């Protein structure tokens, strides 16, 4: 996977930036926007934030505690946001970031739904996920849709090798064609099935 070309420091920096990007968007959601639809078919803003929050909640379990997917089970299924979505997201993001940044954490192996994975590859996937969903959330709430260039480039390198299989997961629409001469962000979003 492409993630192994990153130094640990670089990967952790991108991870922190991607989480901050999504955090900024979560903090920008107005009270009347949680039920608004997003570019992710069938997901409201709340569903999208709940999805990413749940992904963060898994990190300490898998990485720090070394649990398997089966051991965690359905602990984070459904809506994990409760009455205070922003606070729940902030806490989950901080704990995930701490887990990845712990000494030696990126050298571990984690048990994911599709089998064992290197922790640095898992981290790189989490970066890509946060980047793309930051755009989804921005579009849904009418926030700034520009993504930082370094994060766009990182995500393109990360998803490039396996992008063809993503639409089969059901989580991504099939790639769409970007216009000739499109900027890197537009190309990335098109790869991931986003209609701009």
């Amino acid at each position: 996977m492409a993630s192994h070309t990153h130094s640990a420091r670089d990967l952790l920096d991108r991870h922190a930036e991607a989480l901050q990007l999504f955090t900024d968007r979560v903090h920008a959601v107005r009270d009347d926007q949680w039920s608004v639809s997003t570019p992710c078919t069938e997901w409201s803003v709340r569903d999208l934030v709940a999805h990413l929050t749940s992904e963060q909640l898994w990190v300490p379990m898998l990485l720090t505690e070394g649990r398997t997917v089966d051991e965690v089970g359905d602990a984070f299924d459904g809506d994990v946001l409760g009455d205070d979505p922003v606070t729940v997201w902030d806490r989950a993001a901080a704990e995930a970031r701490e887990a990845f940044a712990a000494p030696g954490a990126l050298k571990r192996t984690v048990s994911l739904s599709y089998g064992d994975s290197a922790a640095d590859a898992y981290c790189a996937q989490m970066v890509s996920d946060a980047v793309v969903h930051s755009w989804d959330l921005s579009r849904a709430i009418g926030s700034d849709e520009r993504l930082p260039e370094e994060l766009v480039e990182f995500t393109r390198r990360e998803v490039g090798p396996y992008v063809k299989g993503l639409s089969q997961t059901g989580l991504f629409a099939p790639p769409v064609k970007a216009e000739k001469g499109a900027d890197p962000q537009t190309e990335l979003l098109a790869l991931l099935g986003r209609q701009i």
Side-chain angles (χ1 to χ4, degrees):
M1 233 182 223
S3 57
H4 295 291
T5 57
H6 310 293
S7 71
R9 182 75 264 150
D10 183 46
L11 182 53
L12 291 173
D13 285 350
R14 296 296 86 77
H15 182 248
E17 286 163 16
L19 283 179
Q20 190 56 53
L21 186 67
F22 195 78
T23 297
D24 290 346
R25 300 303 182 271
V26 171
H27 282 255
V29 177
R30 296 193 314 266
D31 288 346
D32 61 348
Q33 289 182 315
W34 289 99
S35 58
V36 170
S37 61
T38 70
C40 300
T41 328
E42 296 167 17
W43 275 359
S44 67
V45 165
R46 187 179 175 98
D47 295 333
L48 176 63
V49 174
H51 161 72
L52 221 64
T53 302
S54 156
E55 287 205 335
Q56 309 315 311
L57 291 169
W58 276 91
V59 176
M61 294 280 184
L62 298 175
L63 194 59
T64 311
E65 298 180 22
R67 297 200 202 184
T68 65
V69 170
D70 288 343
E71 285 169 347
V72 179
D74 60 4
F76 305 125
D77 285 5
D79 189 331
V80 294
L81 296 177
D83 296 334
D84 192 353
V86 176
T87 301
V88 174
W89 160 258
D90 284 350
R91 192 168 54 235
E95 287 171 6
R97 186 177 166 192
E98 201 175 299
F100 276 121
L106 291 176
K107 293 187 171 70
R108 292 181 198 147
T109 299
V110 288
S111 156
L112 302 178
S113 56
Y114 51 81
D116 286 352
S117 170
D120 60 348
Y122 175 39
C123 185
Q125 284 172 13
M126 296 287 277
V127 172
S128 301
D129 214 36
V131 170
V132 175
H133 286 322
S134 291
W135 181 84
D136 293 328
L137 189 50
S138 300
R139 162 82 32 129
I141 65 172
S143 188
D144 180 9
E145 294 178 15
R146 293 294 324 157
L147 301 170
E149 278 175 38
E150 281 192 324
L151 287 177
V152 168
E153 188 48 45
F154 179 100
T155 304
R156 279 182 57 170
R157 283 200 313 265
E158 174 60 22
V159 302
Y162 55 84
V163 76
K164 296 217 175 0
L166 285 176
S167 59
Q168 288 151 10
T169 63
L171 295 174
F172 291 91
V176 293
K177 212 161 171 47
E179 282 181 30
K180 211 171 159 57
D183 63 273
Q185 175 174 322
T186 304
E187 284 181 358
L188 170 67
L189 294 167
L191 260 185
L192 297 171
R194 275 27 180 207
Q195 301 275 3
I196 310 299

